[in-house]
Amino acid sequence: MRIGLLTEGGYPYVSGDARLWCDRLVHGLAQHEFDVYALSRSRHQEDEGWIPLPRNVRRVRTAPLWMGEDDEVALGRRARRRFTECFEELAAVLCGVPGASSGSASNAPGGTSTSEADRFANALYGLAELAREEGGLTGALRSEAAVRTLERACRAPGAHRTAREARVPDLLTVAAHLESALRPLSLDWYEHDGLGAVDLCHAASGGTAALPGLLARHFTGVPLMVTEYGVRLRTHYLTAPEAPPAVRSLLAAFQGRLAAEAYRRAEVVTAGNTHARRWQERCGAEREKLRTVYPGMNARPFAEVGESPDCADPDTLVWVGRVEPAKDLVSLLHAFAEVRKQSPGTRLRIVGAPAGPEGAAYLGHLRTLAAQLFPDEAEGPHAAGDNPVSFEETGGPELPAAADAYASGAVTVLSSVVEGFPVGLVEAMLCGRATVSTDVGAVVEVIGGTGLVVPPRNPRALAEACVALLRDPERRARLGAAARARALELFTVEQNIEAFHGIYLEIVSRAPVRRDVLNGTGEPLPFAVPAEAHVPVRWTAASPSLAARSGPGWTASRPVRATTPLPAPEGAR
């Protein structure tokens, strides 16, 4: 099978989102071929380069989202009129301007009327077809005409109040963001020697990463699958809170429409946990398409610690992760002050690096707070003081690896107020450690009764749970053993790869792609694929679900590719 892996700001670059799980997926499915189509987010990311790629990665094509070069495409009068019509309709949907038939439309999942979803899709694919015919739309999307079209939509009768309040700087900001997000429309990835040649497009995140998959499905009928371990639309809602209301409203509307279109056209939508799955369903994904595939963790680095639960210091609490405000380490320090009142000999190790400049400033604040809460304690008048809170990073002589950090303490603590899938919690479970966590994100789903859970921003409850485990070594051992067994059952790389492999086979068996095999000069090879590779099946009746999956140009009597690929004659590839 040939998979088109679509990423944004991640794999195959050294840094970025979804890098690790994509790398594990590609290595784990060595029997399949992967074509990687990557959108980069910054020059720094591109300068860092790629991670080593396995042999089954056939090709990598990249495009920047952070830099838009003028494509120097001069649209003719008719093309300019088509662009204005499509972009005007797109802007009208974002501003909430009602269409001709929106009043009588039935409601679709996620609160989006069917006519609005179709209006957005028609405008999006209309722009894509124009970009394909003309060679790109970068210049048109960055033009003054695009800004004026957006302004007319904001001032049109029926537009949302926040859209009507948009000023010229707001319109320029929104237009720039739309040009960046729609840049995949102008790429040359959708021909039969590109994404048109794959059996399945797998978008490794929602949002702009799914757009090339939508276009490949529109132009060549390639089925699409979307995976989100952190729902991109939710992330958009949580970022840039200082942006003007009009900018936030219009960009949120665009991201919401794009997500709903990706969910509607995808064969399968997978989430990393039930928390993300509920977000996807609320944003328009059909329940029948949704699957939960937990992230795969490499259990081998934690095996030695997990099999030796007695190596921990029974009087030490450990926190491991990225140092940033969302982790609420301030509450953890106040909770530890309560712990020290009941167990004076307890220590706290905070292990992790700051996340960017904001994290560095937050770490400085934490150090100051720790010095105020816990003045250096000395055993005698001539001894040096020792603070019970330490701030460390892995890679040093004391903690060379993450497993050593978890091994150093009897109880692992998570104090976050915002959390998606708690990777650090799973690592602690693989190490056989008892855990105390705040009830945020997918924490309860991951813990499953093998640890203690308290409300967020409640230092007293956090302290009481920590003291309860510190005083009961037998309970710690039971919870740690149960946590390790649960993590090995649900959160390993092997189960993740097996789940995706099964979904790939299911999608391709339902929606095969028929194409001619070409030789090196582009001529067709009529006998390259043996007849046994296709099993003729005639459906007794066409169902609505089949019609929805079939895509443009399909009929109910098309032959279906065999789910087990047969060897092609030598030279077919």
Side-chain angles (χ1 to χ4, degrees):
M1 193 184 305
R2 191 171 172 187
I3 311 298
L5 188 61
L6 314 175
T7 67
E8 178 194 353
Y11 189 80
Y13 293 105
V14 170
S15 62
D17 303 334
R19 176 180 58 84
L20 288 177
W21 80 262
C22 285
D23 186 50
R24 291 165 180 166
L25 178 71
V26 172
H27 277 87
L29 295 178
Q31 69 272 38
H32 297 310
E33 296 177 342
F34 284 84
D35 292 354
V36 179
Y37 291 80
L39 301 169
S40 65
R41 288 183 183 166
S42 66
R43 180 181 295 277
H44 175 70
Q45 186 176 52
E46 292 196 354
D47 292 342
E48 285 184 321
W50 301 346
I51 63 175
L53 300 177
R55 296 177 59 121
N56 59 325
V57 175
R58 297 179 66 257
R59 70 191 310 191
V60 177
R61 300 190 68 178
T62 64
L65 289 180
W66 50 275
M67 176 187 66
E69 296 182 357
D70 196 340
D71 49 21
E72 299 181 355
V73 174
L75 300 181
R77 184 174 60 182
R78 183 176 300 178
R80 289 198 303 272
R81 184 166 60 248
R82 283 179 58 190
F83 171 79
T84 301
E85 291 173 353
C86 293
F87 192 73
E88 193 170 45
E89 184 71 353
L90 183 75
V93 174
L94 303 186
C95 296
V97 179
S101 60
S102 59
S104 60
S106 60
N107 288 334
T112 302
S113 67
T114 304
S115 65
E116 288 177 339
D118 289 339
R119 288 171 63 199
F120 179 83
N122 293 336
L124 181 69
Y125 298 131
L127 290 172
E129 291 167 1
L130 180 61
R132 195 182 197 192
E133 295 171 9
E134 300 294 332
L137 288 181
T138 301
L141 289 168
R142 299 170 66 185
S143 66
E144 182 181 353
V147 178
R148 292 189 179 278
T149 301
L150 184 61
E151 182 180 21
R152 285 196 301 271
C154 291
R155 307 291 184 260
H160 294 316
R161 180 178 59 84
T162 51
R164 294 198 303 270
E165 294 174 352
R167 299 295 179 257
V168 172
D170 302 336
L171 296 172
L172 292 173
T173 301
V174 172
H177 278 81
L178 290 180
E179 186 276 322
S180 176
L182 294 175
R183 203 165 293 165
L185 300 180
S186 302
L187 301 177
D188 58 348
W189 289 357
Y190 314 109
E191 303 303 328
H192 289 287
D193 60 344
L195 284 173
V198 303
D199 297 300
L200 166 69
C201 284
H202 184 180
S205 66
T208 305
L211 186 52
L214 286 172
L215 300 186
R217 184 188 183 280
H218 176 75
F219 289 129
T220 58
V222 177
L224 171 65
M225 171 183 173
V226 177
T227 292
E228 289 184 301
Y229 283 114
V231 179
R232 189 57 59 87
L233 181 58
R234 175 179 178 270
T235 304
H236 174 78
Y237 287 149
L238 296 174
T239 55
E242 71 284 353
V247 174
R248 288 178 57 82
S249 174
L250 292 173
L251 293 182
F254 173 78
Q255 294 293 340
R257 301 295 182 196
L258 183 59
E261 178 65 13
Y263 297 155
R264 184 166 71 142
R265 302 299 183 186
E267 298 291 326
V268 173
V269 179
T270 70
N273 53 74
T274 303
H275 179 69
R277 184 168 171 168
R278 287 197 296 266
W279 264 89
Q280 292 172 333
E281 188 173 352
R282 180 64 184 85
C283 295
E286 298 176 16
R287 184 171 298 180
E288 296 76 15
K289 294 182 178 181
L290 290 173
R291 313 282 177 82
T292 299
V293 180
Y294 293 115
M297 303 289 296
N298 185 5
R300 285 191 292 272
F302 308 99
E304 183 178 352
V305 175
E307 294 168 0
S308 305
D310 299 330
C311 64
D313 183 346
D315 297 321
T316 299
L317 302 174
V318 175
W319 180 95
V320 181
R322 295 192 314 273
V323 178
E324 56 187 356
K327 304 304 181 181
D328 196 17
L329 293 172
V330 171
S331 291
L332 176 59
L333 290 177
H334 284 288
F336 184 62
E338 294 293 327
V339 172
R340 291 277 294 182
K341 292 178 182 179
Q342 303 183 48
S343 301
T346 308
R347 302 186 63 82
L348 171 63
R349 303 184 77 163
I350 295 177
V351 182
E358 184 182 22
Y362 188 63
L363 178 59
H365 172 65
L366 294 174
R367 291 181 184 275
T368 302
L369 179 61
Q372 293 173 350
L373 291 175
F374 313 102
D376 289 348
E377 302 171 0
E379 296 180 358
H382 303 292
D386 184 20
N387 196 296
V389 179
S390 62
F391 296 88
E392 308 167 69
E393 294 186 30
T394 57
E398 290 190 9
L399 301 174
D404 301 295
Y406 297 109
S408 65
V411 178
T412 298
V413 187
L414 183 145
S415 55
S416 302
V417 292
V418 176
E419 193 75 50
F421 186 86
V423 174
L425 206 56
V426 176
E427 293 176 346
M429 294 168 68
L430 289 170
C431 290
R433 291 298 178 263
T435 58
V436 176
S437 312
T438 49
D439 186 4
V440 293
V443 165
V444 173
E445 182 181 0
V446 168
I447 290 295
T450 66
L452 304 187
V453 180
V454 300
R457 297 192 188 279
N458 191 330
R460 184 175 295 277
L462 191 64
E464 291 175 355
C466 291
V467 170
L469 290 183
L470 288 170
R471 290 179 174 177
D472 194 341
E474 293 184 359
R475 187 183 186 189
R476 288 202 310 266
R478 289 196 306 270
L479 289 176
R484 176 169 165 77
R486 179 175 176 82
L488 290 174
E489 179 184 0
L490 298 178
F491 308 125
T492 61
V493 173
E494 291 75 17
Q495 67 82 22
N496 179 271
I497 292 172
E498 182 179 357
F500 279 122
H501 186 218
I503 294 173
Y504 285 174
L505 294 178
E506 175 189 344
I507 293 176
V508 172
S509 67
R510 274 198 327 231
V513 178
R514 293 292 303 275
R515 67 179 70 84
D516 295 328
V517 178
L518 307 178
N519 62 15
T521 61
E523 296 296 326
L525 298 175
F527 301 105
V529 180
E532 297 89 345
H534 299 278
V535 179
V537 175
R538 188 170 296 277
W539 300 93
T540 56
S543 64
S545 60
L546 173 64
R549 295 191 199 106
S550 299
W554 280 85
T555 61
S557 60
R558 281 252 176 150
V560 179
R561 177 177 295 179
T563 57
T564 303
L566 299 177
E570 185 176 357
R573 295 170 53 197

